[in-house]
Every structure is written in structure tokens, then in C-alpha cells.
Amino acid sequence: MDPFVYEALPSRVVFGWGSLDRLADEVDRLGVSRVLVLATPPQRAEAERIAVMLGPRVAGLFAGAVMHTPTDVTETALGVLRETGADATLAVGGGSTTGLGKAIAWRTDLPQLVVPTTYAGSEMTPILGETENGVKTTRRDRRILPEAVVYDPALTLSLPAGLSATSGLNAIAHAVEGLYARDRNPIVSLMAEDGVRALAAALPAIVRDPADREARSRALYGAWLCGAVLGAVGMALHHKLCHVLGGSFDLPHAETHAVVLPHVVAFNAPAAPEAMAALDRALGEGEGDPALRLHRLARAVGAPTALEAIGMPADGIDRAADLAVANPYWNPRPFDRDAVRALIAAAFAGRAPSDPAA
């Protein structure tokens, strides 16, 4: 076996049906007394319900989180934090809300709790992506990692099937990059494979029956594993492209991951045979290579398969290619602007994934 380094991240996870009832205990366990509850505008009602459960432990509510964590929204939230005297944050929702909690933690070093209501998985990473003036930048730091995460599958029952599908595919993308990351290791690979396996089986079941409790539980379990994978290893071409596309064109985060993932897998497949074998096992029975099977999975669960369909302008393809190669992430297969442009163009049109260099 090849030598490796594995460093476990110090985040506490409470998982299971009814886990929300333990949230007050988790607040007390952190030694804080006045949490600022964070949410997006659509999640305000859920956040208010949870705030009522916590009673005097809540200092206030800020329901202004949005996609891609714009820095001006963070500054507004920091003003509320100071006004209320909060000594911790509690993010209720998906990646947008979790991102705001991370941005506050980066600036203040205050503790964070997260109650996920989607399958984003970002609550398990010490990674923060922020947008300013149309440019998205990322950083990694232990201060960004939430201290505690309470996973209650009951909170995902109201997540529409379509959003469940794109959110789950977003999580799968985290695990896929972990399988071929430069700093991958056997522990992360096991987590990645099982995370993909859980989500690939659960998402079609959720689309068939959004009230399927077992499928909801398996999907949330898979999202946790996939998020933990991303938190343990570095990112590669897929995440670079999604950061560029999301930050530059304000594309919906999860949908962008769902569209781009099969195309990056097709590009990286020749350079990552072990990762493709693990992905093939995780996706279960089916015909075709992993890239095609991921493309079919997205179609089967009703997720978008074209960047054009989620709002990207045709004249943005060249700009995205330029930005992707300007400050590239490590990738198992080297790439140049022509290869990246071909990949983006295929994803824009919604074509079946193939190696753009073939």
C-alpha cells in the first residue's frame, strides 16, 4: 500500500430522525448563550420555528443569506451580529446559509452550528467561497469549519424532489473529486465511494416518492460523507469551473455542479483509472462509463444537463475558459484553454459527456 496522510477534522456530528430535539443541548455544549440564527429568505419560517425551540438561547435572526456568499451580505450580517451581541451562529438551510456562517466565523472566530435542510455537504468542510464584484474566491482554514452539525432527515422531507436531485448531485461532485485528489488516501476513498453509492440509490427513490423516509435518511448520510471528503482533500478542475461559472454568471450553485460533473469526469477518466473503478462500483448496475452514467442519473432525476438552461449566456464560454486557466487548481490530467473551452461548450449545450481532447 502506498504511504498516505489522513487528518481527521474536529467537527461533531449528531445524526438521525428527531436529532433536532438535541439542538439546545449542542448549543449548551459549545458553552455559548446567544446564537444568531441564519437563513435564506425562503427558509425564514423554518429558522423562526427553530429559534422558538431554542428560546432565550437566541440573540436574533438574519434571513438574508444568498447564493455564492457575497461579501456585502456578510457585512450586513456582521452588523446584526454586533447589534444583538451574539456569541455564535446557527445556520439553518443549505449551502448558501452555511456559507454565510462560515464567512462570519472567518472574520470573528465565533463558534458555528449548522442544521442542514439540503444535501449540500458544505457544512463538513473548512472551505469558504465568497463572491465580490463578480469574482468568486475560496480559502481553506480550520476557523471556517463548523463546530457542530445536527442532521435530522425530517427537515429534508419538505425539500422538493427537483432541489433534492440537484443538491444530491452537488454532493456527489465533492466525492468524485476526492477519489482522484492529489492528497487522497484510503480512508477518504472509502467515504467517497460509499457517499456516492448512498446518493445514487437514494435520489431516484426520492424523486419517485419524496416522503420515502429511508431514501431521505440515506441521502443525508451520503451528503455528510461527500462533504467530509471535500473537507479532507484538495479541489480540482470540477470545483474550479463551478466557482468560475457561479461567481461570474450568478448561476445556481447545485445546478451548476450537476451540469458540469459528467463532463469533467469524462475529461479526467484517462488519468484516474482507480477513481473511475470506484465510481463505477458506487453507481451500481448500469451500462456505459461513469461519465455517461452520471449524465443519465441527472436526466433520470430531472436535474438540468445544460448550462444554457440555467442561465449562462453563450458569449460567456470564452470568458469562463479564460478565468479557469488564469489561476488553475491542480488536476490529475493537465489541461489547456482549448480543452477547457471545449468542455464548457459541451456542458453549455447539454451534450453527452465525452473526452474533449479525443
Side-chain angles (χ1 to χ4, degrees), residues 2 62 87 104 160 207-208 219 242 253 271 308 325 332:
D2 294 333
F62 178 80
D87 58 1
I104 292 172
V207 170
R208 289 191 299 269
C242 290
H253 181 81
E308 183 178 25
V325 299

Side-chain angles (χ1 to χ4, degrees), residues 112-348:
Q112 307 173 71
L113 297 97
V114 183
V115 176
T117 62
T118 73
Y119 307 126
S122 59
E123 63 278 352
M124 293 307 300
T125 77
I127 302 166
L128 169 63
E130 297 184 287
T131 304
E132 186 171 13
N133 299 323
V135 177
K136 190 166 189 176
T137 58
T138 61
R139 58 172 53 90
R140 179 186 291 260
D141 191 277
R142 285 291 185 92
R143 287 179 293 170
I144 295 168
L145 181 71
E147 278 73 11
V149 182
V150 175
Y151 288 104
D152 190 334
L155 296 176
T156 67
L157 286 171
S158 61
L159 187 66
L163 292 178
S164 299
T166 54
S167 179
L169 288 165
N170 178 17
I172 287 175
H174 302 334
V176 169
E177 292 230 304
L179 286 169
Y180 54 63
R182 176 167 47 183
D183 49 356
R184 66 190 179 278
N185 60 68
I187 307 304
V188 165
S189 295
L190 287 171
M191 295 167 67
E193 185 173 336
D194 204 37
V196 174
R197 181 179 295 109
L199 280 160
L203 295 180
I206 289 171
V207 170
R208 289 191 299 269
D209 178 12
D212 186 331
R213 287 171 59 94
E214 179 58 26
R216 289 290 188 181
S217 186
R218 291 294 296 175
L220 197 58
Y221 164 78
W224 163 43
L225 286 179
C226 293
V229 166
L230 183 65
V233 298
M235 295 179 286
L237 177 61
H238 172 84
H239 279 84
K240 177 63 179 184
L241 288 177
C242 290
H243 292 160
V244 165
L245 293 167
S248 300
F249 307 107
D250 199 31
L251 302 184
H253 181 81
E255 287 84 348
T256 303
H257 280 270
V259 173
V260 171
L261 177 61
H263 298 278
V264 177
V265 169
F267 177 78
N268 279 332
E274 291 183 4
M276 294 305 111
L279 189 52
D280 189 61
R281 292 191 299 268
L283 291 171
E285 296 182 1
E287 297 182 357
D289 60 38
L292 284 171
R293 292 167 71 186
L294 284 168
H295 185 69
R296 292 191 190 116
L297 175 61
R299 294 177 61 184
V301 297
T305 56
L307 292 173
E308 183 178 25
I310 60 174
M312 182 178 174
D315 61 6
I317 294 175
D318 284 305
R319 181 185 173 200
D322 290 338
L323 290 171
V325 299
N327 185 25
Y329 295 173
W330 178 90
N331 195 62
R333 182 181 180 183
F335 57 87
D336 58 20
R337 185 189 183 281
D338 289 342
V340 170
R341 191 195 184 284
L343 188 160
I344 296 171
F348 176 83

Side-chain angles (χ1 to χ4, degrees), residues 1 11 22 27 34 37 83 86 91 98 116 134 136 159 184 220 226 268 278:
M1 178 177 287
S11 184
R22 299 173 60 181
V27 172
R34 293 179 56 77
V37 181
E83 291 171 5
T98 301
K136 190 166 189 176
L159 187 66
R184 66 190 179 278
L220 197 58
C226 293
N268 279 332

